Amino acid sequence: MSTMLTVDDLRVSFPTRTGLIEAVRGVSFTLGRERLGIVGESGSGKSQTGRAIMGLTPAHAKVSASKLNFAGIDLLTAPAKVRRSLRGSRIAMILQDPKYSLNPVMSIGRQIVETLRTHENVGKREARDRAIAMLEAVQIRDAGRVFDLHPHEVSGGMGQRAMIAMMLIAGPELLVADEPTSALDVTVQLEVLGILDKLVSERGMGLIFISHDLRLVSSFCDRVIVMYAGKIVEELVASDLGNAKHPYTQGLLNCMPTLGTDRHPLPVLDRQPEWAL
Amino acid sequence: MTAIVSAENLTVTYDDFLALDTVSIDVAPGESFGLVGESGSGKSTLLRAIAGLSPVTSGRIVLDGKPLDAKYRDKAFYRQVQMVFQDPYGSLHPRQTVDRLLQEPLAIHGVADAERRILRALDEVGLGSSFRFRYSHQLSGGQRQRIAIARALIIEPQIMLLDEPTSALDASVQAEVLNLLEQVRRDRKLTYIMVSHDLGVVTHMCERLAVMKNGKVVERLSSADLVAGRLSEDYTKNLMVASKGFVRNAVA
Ligand SMILES: Nc1ncnc2c1ncn2[C@@H]1O[C@H](COP(=O)(O)OP(=O)(O)O)[C@@H](O)[C@H]1O
Ligand SMILES: Nc1ncnc2c1ncn2[C@@H]1O[C@H](COP(=O)(O)OP(=O)(O)O)[C@@H](O)[C@H]1O
Ligand SMILES: [Mg+2]
Ligand SMILES: [Mg+2]
């Protein structure tokens, strides 16, 4: 499988008044045309890893890596202009909270149409049809009506799906999806995963799927990286999650109440200082 | 069964929209009763109707054998029934100290002995007295939810309405909060009505549950029945299947 993304010794830190916060501390992995999951508790550095790949790290933070390469392009030295144009077309990110990604003063349909037309030379009519088709593809009922609504006029789940539609219409080669389905119902969640799945298997997209839900990730991804305190503590073939070695991974798996297991009280994580070393 | 809370043919409308459509449930004293269903199905509306926060247009709510007014709830009601919401960020004022947040319900209900109760409540939810003078914006999500629970418990209610109390938390923190909720229910013989979209959570916490769809209860069953797959509605079956995670090819 050809590698499209190489991340080697990625570090992200935030200088603050009380000292340096090291959000990502030496993360390394490669990605091909596959589904790679990144899991871990909140604060473990998942989003900052994704943002560094996108070039969306906050300006005051410091990013370093011994290698950060996408399709032969050195992302660390690429000019801002190159990175911006990559972001609009070949690399896309779906954020956890659609509020920050949708423009509040523009109708949902127009945002999708504009995204499409910056990438492809298509007429107005076709752009509209394809935008509506994409809204339908993310299971938005009554897509023609939703096309004309503004972000504040739809529910959170619908806004999330509209944003997914906007990201997907550009047909990116690499997609970083940061908790893309956490706000959705399980049934809708699975539909969205189905769409992402097809993009990987049919279009050969590379997918980084960030989530705190270890079980969901393992049912969906090919490989899973488990993060704790800014580091990778374990990497697993998703189907092999049951054989996780690290006590943190095992703890995350065990603490979830599942149908048919009767454990009162639930086991809780017993965090060890050496996990963060 | 003599119910401690029941909803009888409860209907709630927002303008022309039927958010609850003749819903009935009965909850026994000391029971933990679950509400599941996809978002928008009316779970929060039902909890809020019990708390007097939804516009009830017909039907009634009976508490301890006495029918309640459609809207008005007196202080005695909130002494008996408390609510915990999903979002620990929205439900606690960020610029208030934990101490202020816990004082408030005591002041409203004219409860004496604040000092002892606050220390006890903090201890009960697993936060030491060192948390007492922190601001809520200085707390993690799990800590905030513990404070929200402490605030609900501090006036010693009998019934807790829990609306997705752990949905915003990490799995590891969820486990701690669920254990806490079980522990206080046992210690204080509380009655819970708990909403969750997570069937694993609901069957773990509740003995019986109602499945909601489009403002209606479509199925009532025990957690044991749900776990064993003894269910009659396709809708419930779909929720079950979906809760097991992604299945490649099963999604068209
Ligand atoms: N703007 C910021 N300033 C300071 N610290 C930050 C900032 N953004 C994130 N962090 C810190 O970086 C760490 C990792 O954050 P993040 O990648 O968002 O975690 P995750 O996505 O796994 O929940 C956290 O400890 C967080 O507090
Ligand atoms: N204040 C309100 N005004 C108008 N519609 C509302 C209001 N509150 C809830 N609804 C609608 O009622 C329905 C049920 O909502 P809710 O009880 O919050 O669902 P759930 O908790 O099951 O996700 C939804 O369609 C929602 O949009
Ligand atoms: Mg994140
Ligand atoms: Mg709700």
Side-chain angles (χ1 to χ4, degrees):
Chain A
M1 183 172 53
S2 62
T3 299
M4 70 166 75
L5 177 74
T6 306
V7 178
D8 196 18
D9 199 23
L10 174 69
R11 291 167 187 274
V12 180
S13 58
F14 294 88
T16 68
R17 255 176 302 163
T18 49
L20 199 67
I21 295 180
E22 296 181 279
V24 180
R25 303 185 301 150
V27 161
S28 306
F29 61 89
T30 60
L31 178 79
R33 303 185 182 285
E34 60 177 327
R35 312 154 194 90
L36 174 71
I38 302 183
V39 299
E41 294 172 286
S42 58
S44 58
K46 307 181 298 294
S47 294
Q48 289 304 333
T49 299
R51 287 177 158 271
I53 294 164
M54 293 299 297
L56 292 173
T57 306
H60 66 287
K62 213 174 135 266
V63 180
S64 74
S66 62
K67 197 169 180 192
L68 192 59
N69 189 297
F70 168 73
I73 303 164
D74 181 356
L75 296 175
L76 289 167
T77 55
K81 199 171 148 234
V82 172
R83 295 211 72 175
R84 218 175 306 123
S85 83
L86 277 178
R87 249 196 325 270
S89 53
R90 300 178 67 187
I91 310 183
M93 184 165 186
I94 300 173
L95 292 175
Q96 196 164 359
D97 191 342
K99 279 202 286 281
Y100 299 111
S101 321
L102 292 173
N103 182 342
V105 298
M106 201 191 277
S107 76
I108 285 171
R110 221 179 112 203
Q111 296 186 50
I112 299 175
V113 162
E114 289 201 356
T115 307
L116 175 61
R117 295 185 77 189
T118 52
H119 298 113
E120 277 181 58
N121 196 3
V122 293
K124 267 208 177 113
R125 184 65 211 240
E126 190 196 339
R128 186 188 157 88
D129 289 347
R130 279 177 57 186
I132 289 178
M134 191 50 94
L135 287 171
E136 280 166 354
V138 294
Q139 311 292 329
I140 287 181
R141 268 169 267 160
D142 208 1
R145 187 179 64 88
V146 173
F147 184 93
D148 291 316
L149 296 179
H150 283 69
H152 67 90
E153 293 172 311
V154 302
S155 68
M158 209 186 276
Q160 185 72 339
R161 280 179 274 168
M163 182 178 60
I164 293 171
M166 190 168 81
M167 293 301 162
L168 296 184
I169 203 147
E173 290 159 60
L174 168 63
L175 180 69
V176 179
D178 191 356
E179 312 252 7
T181 61
S182 299
L184 305 177
D185 273 324
V186 276
T187 40
V188 179
Q189 185 175 54
L190 295 185
E191 284 162 0
V192 170
L193 291 185
I195 295 164
L196 296 180
D197 194 55
K198 267 199 211 151
L199 290 170
V200 176
S201 57
E202 290 172 12
R203 284 212 237 148
M205 186 180 78
L207 174 67
I208 297 177
F209 186 84
I210 296 174
S211 171
H212 63 274
D213 188 337
L214 193 46
R215 287 184 190 278
L216 179 72
V217 166
S218 66
S219 70
F220 176 64
C221 292
D222 304 301
R223 281 191 298 142
V224 182
I225 282 171
V226 184
M227 284 186 74
Y228 184 78
K231 283 196 170 175
I232 296 176
V233 296
E234 184 158 19
E235 183 182 331
L236 288 154
V237 174
S239 56
D240 207 28
L241 202 65
N243 295 321
K245 297 264 173 340
H246 198 282
Y248 173 63
T249 317
Q250 292 172 345
L252 282 184
L253 276 171
N254 275 333
C255 66
M256 273 189 262
T258 50
L259 285 175
T261 55
D262 208 8
R263 299 167 304 160
H264 303 266
L266 291 165
V268 295
L269 264 189
D270 183 15
R271 290 182 175 73
Q272 302 298 318
E274 63 264 25
W275 295 355
L277 292 183
Chain B
M1 175 183 81
T2 331
I4 188 166
V5 194
S6 19
E8 299 174 358
N9 298 315
L10 207 61
T11 298
V12 169
T13 46
Y14 292 105
D15 300 322
D16 292 333
F17 180 73
L18 254 185
L20 276 193
D21 186 1
T22 54
V23 164
S24 301
I25 58 166
D26 286 302
V27 181
E31 181 181 27
S32 182
F33 187 89
L35 294 172
V36 299
E38 55 189 19
S39 73
S41 58
K43 305 179 299 292
S44 298
T45 302
L46 176 53
L47 278 199
R48 295 172 62 85
I50 295 170
L53 302 168
S54 299
V56 171
T57 40
S58 68
R60 60 177 197 165
I61 296 155
V62 180
L63 178 68
D64 261 345
K66 291 180 285 288
L68 297 174
D69 186 89
K71 277 199 197 98
Y72 178 73
R73 297 283 180 277
D74 57 13
K75 265 194 205 171
F77 173 85
Y78 289 109
R79 189 95 204 234
Q80 198 180 354
V81 183
Q82 282 285 313
M83 193 156 173
V84 175
F85 297 94
Q86 167 177 1
D87 179 11
Y89 298 87
S91 56
L92 299 180
H93 194 290
R95 299 272 159 208
Q96 280 186 355
T97 61
V98 167
D99 187 65
R100 272 277 304 278
L101 289 164
L102 297 179
Q103 291 273 4
E104 196 178 69
L106 296 174
I108 290 171
H109 293 278
V111 179
D113 204 12
E115 180 72 18
R116 192 188 57 85
R117 282 179 187 257
I118 288 172
L119 292 176
R120 178 175 166 216
L122 284 174
D123 182 55
E124 192 165 26
V125 299
L127 297 173
S129 52
S130 65
F131 281 90
R132 185 166 169 190
F133 295 102
R134 292 219 199 155
Y135 287 92
S136 77
H137 70 87
Q138 295 172 318
L139 304 175
S140 70
Q143 289 165 345
R144 281 181 216 220
Q145 203 56 309
R146 284 171 196 269
I147 295 297
I149 292 167
R151 196 171 129 101
L153 287 175
I154 201 161
I155 50 170
E156 305 189 344
Q158 289 175 291
I159 299 165
M160 298 265 274
L161 308 176
L162 305 164
D163 194 355
E164 309 252 10
T166 60
S167 301
L169 306 175
D170 274 323
S172 53
V173 182
Q174 163 170 283
E176 293 169 9
V177 172
L178 292 180
N179 287 344
L180 164 67
L181 286 169
E182 280 204 306
Q183 179 73 42
V184 294
R185 184 165 83 95
R186 205 176 314 123
D187 292 350
R188 297 191 176 198
K189 310 204 167 24
L190 299 174
T191 303
Y192 285 173
I193 306 180
M194 180 170 180
V195 168
S196 176
H197 66 272
D198 184 329
L199 294 184
V201 168
V202 169
T203 52
H204 178 79
M205 295 293 290
C206 305
E207 291 101 38
R208 292 190 308 137
L209 49 106
V211 183
M212 296 191 63
K213 179 189 179 186
N214 295 334
K216 285 195 159 82
V217 169
V218 294
E219 186 158 15
R220 286 180 195 73
L221 70 177
S222 69
S223 287
D225 283 342
L226 185 77
V227 166
R230 288 187 293 269
L231 35 90
S232 35
E233 293 292 316
D234 281 345
Y235 175 74
T236 315
K237 215 169 286 170
N238 287 343
L239 292 178
M240 275 281 278
V241 171
S243 76
K244 297 198 168 133
F246 184 76
V247 182
R248 192 144 285 123
N249 304 328
V251 186

